[in-house]
């Protein structure tokens, strides 16, 4: 499946085109202002999450971890009608997190954050993966691609002029990460075992060991300077895109008052 998820206004969830599925939602989160509300974000987290945040060496990485995981709790709480602080998480042997406790199996989710942006994908029934990457200059893009990507992707990147290479590389990278996360294998899935398109505005899963029919892959619109993608292990599934208000961390209770 190829397409881009609909770009929705802040705080809304109304699909604007055929093929969207209200079961699959992607929240686009600006982390910028959360640094001014670290105590509020930290108050939503479990002791384990706070301990994990403390392991980061750089303070900027700590607060982005805290903010993105606080946002995850807020959108899951809104989805499930539950107290965000009471949500319990577990992790599969591969490291993929899941809801445990009373909310076990009630919602699949995927979280990614890079730079000042976070993405949260939610689905009630299908495995899901999201990825966002801050686009940055990397003089060795082709070397990295040749070391990790599928031959079809490498060939496509090698045909591009230098001005188009960076955007195409990050489009490819986020799609591959999203697919790997959806499988539950993460980076243990060899990235050269499947292929995706590299065109920034059009996502397509080109090859997969078990076939591509049971997949949906979408490019996502997010903040300038970032690339993003969502992969769903179900055929012909679209999604609804929602955006948290920039000051979400200052008033976390507001999200629970918004309709789907």
């Amino acid at each position: 499946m190829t397409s881009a998820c609909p770009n929705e206004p802040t705080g809304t969830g109304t699909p604007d085109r055929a093929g969207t599925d209200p079961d699959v939602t992607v929240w686009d989160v600006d982390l910028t202002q959360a640094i001014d509300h670290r105590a509020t974000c930290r108050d939503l987290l479990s002791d384990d999450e706070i301990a994990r945040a403390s392991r980061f060496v750089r303070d900027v990485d700590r607060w982005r971890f805290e903010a993105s995981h606080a946002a995850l709790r807020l959108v899951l709480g809104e989805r499930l009608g539950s107290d965000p602080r009471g949500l319990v998480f577990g992790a599969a042997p591969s490291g993929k997190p899941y809801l445990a406790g009373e909310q076990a199996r009630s919602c699949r989710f995927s979280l990614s954050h890079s730079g000042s942006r976070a993405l949260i994908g939610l689905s009630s029934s299908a495995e899901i993966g999201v990825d966002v990457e801050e686009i940055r200059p990397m003089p060795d893009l082709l070397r990295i691609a040749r070391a990790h990507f599928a031959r079809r992707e490498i060939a496509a990147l090698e045909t591009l002029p230098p001005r188009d290479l960076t955007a195409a590389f990050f489009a490819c990278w986020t799609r591959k990460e999203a697919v790997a996360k959806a499988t539950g294998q993460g980076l243990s899935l060899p990235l050269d075992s499947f292929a995706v398109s590299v065109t920034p505005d059009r996502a397509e899963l080109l090859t997969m060991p078990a076939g591509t029919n049971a997949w949906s892959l979408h490019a996502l619109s997010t903040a300038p300077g970032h690339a993003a993608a969502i992969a769903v292990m179900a055929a012909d599934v679209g999604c609804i895109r929602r955006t948290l208000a920039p000051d979400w961390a200052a008033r976390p209770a507001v999200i629970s008052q918004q309709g789907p």
Side-chain angles (χ1 to χ4, degrees):
M1 171 131 183
T2 66
S3 71
C5 278
N7 188 3
E8 303 301 335
T10 299
T12 69
T14 305
D16 65 359
R17 66 192 243 173
T20 55
D21 185 341
D23 179 61
V24 178
T25 305
V26 180
W27 283 91
D28 192 356
V29 185
D30 186 352
L31 302 177
T32 306
Q33 295 185 30
I35 193 170
D36 297 322
H37 305 280
R38 293 186 68 170
T40 302
C41 290
R42 196 178 291 119
D43 185 55
L44 294 168
L45 305 182
S46 67
D47 291 343
D48 176 67
E49 288 167 323
I50 293 172
R52 289 168 61 194
S54 70
R55 297 181 193 130
F56 288 97
V57 175
R58 298 195 311 163
D59 186 60
V60 65
D61 295 326
R62 284 194 293 274
W63 75 256
R64 285 174 177 167
F65 178 96
E66 293 167 353
S68 59
H69 282 75
L72 172 65
R73 284 182 170 272
L74 288 172
V75 300
L76 278 171
E78 187 266 354
R79 173 88 167 214
L80 302 173
S82 300
D83 179 357
R85 296 172 182 82
L87 296 174
V88 178
F89 299 99
S94 64
K96 185 174 183 178
Y98 59 84
L99 279 167
E102 295 181 358
Q103 299 290 354
R105 296 182 295 278
S106 59
C107 185
R108 277 84 166 176
F109 67 90
S110 180
L111 168 67
S112 177
H113 62 92
S114 179
S116 63
R117 218 70 188 177
L119 282 183
I120 300 166
L122 307 178
S123 172
S124 297
S125 58
E127 295 299 333
I128 187 172
V130 298
D131 192 62
V132 60
E133 295 291 338
E134 184 178 30
I135 298 174
R136 53 204 182 273
M138 296 178 64
D140 54 352
L141 290 181
L142 282 178
R143 180 188 64 79
I144 295 172
R146 290 168 182 144
H148 300 286
F149 289 1
R151 291 182 179 179
R152 188 168 179 176
E153 296 160 340
I154 297 167
L157 291 171
E158 288 177 336
T159 65
L160 296 175
R163 67 178 181 276
D164 297 332
L165 182 58
T166 299
F169 174 89
F170 280 99
C172 182
W173 182 264
T174 54
R175 293 164 194 174
K176 295 180 80 66
E177 287 275 355
V179 169
K181 289 179 180 181
T183 67
Q185 299 179 63
L187 291 180
S188 66
L189 176 68
L191 292 180
D192 61 357
S193 66
F194 64 99
V196 300
S197 61
V198 305
T199 305
D201 59 353
R202 186 170 179 81
E204 185 176 4
L205 183 59
L206 302 174
T207 64
M208 197 71 184
T212 63
N213 290 337
W215 283 87
S216 299
L217 182 64
H218 304 278
L220 292 174
S221 174
T222 184
H226 292 73
I230 176 174
V232 185
M233 292 184 69
D236 300 321
V237 173
C239 64
I240 291 171
R241 180 181 175 275
R242 301 177 73 179
T243 306
L244 284 183
D247 61 345
W248 64 270
R251 47 195 187 100
V254 172
I255 186 173
S256 64
Q257 301 169 10
Q258 297 175 341

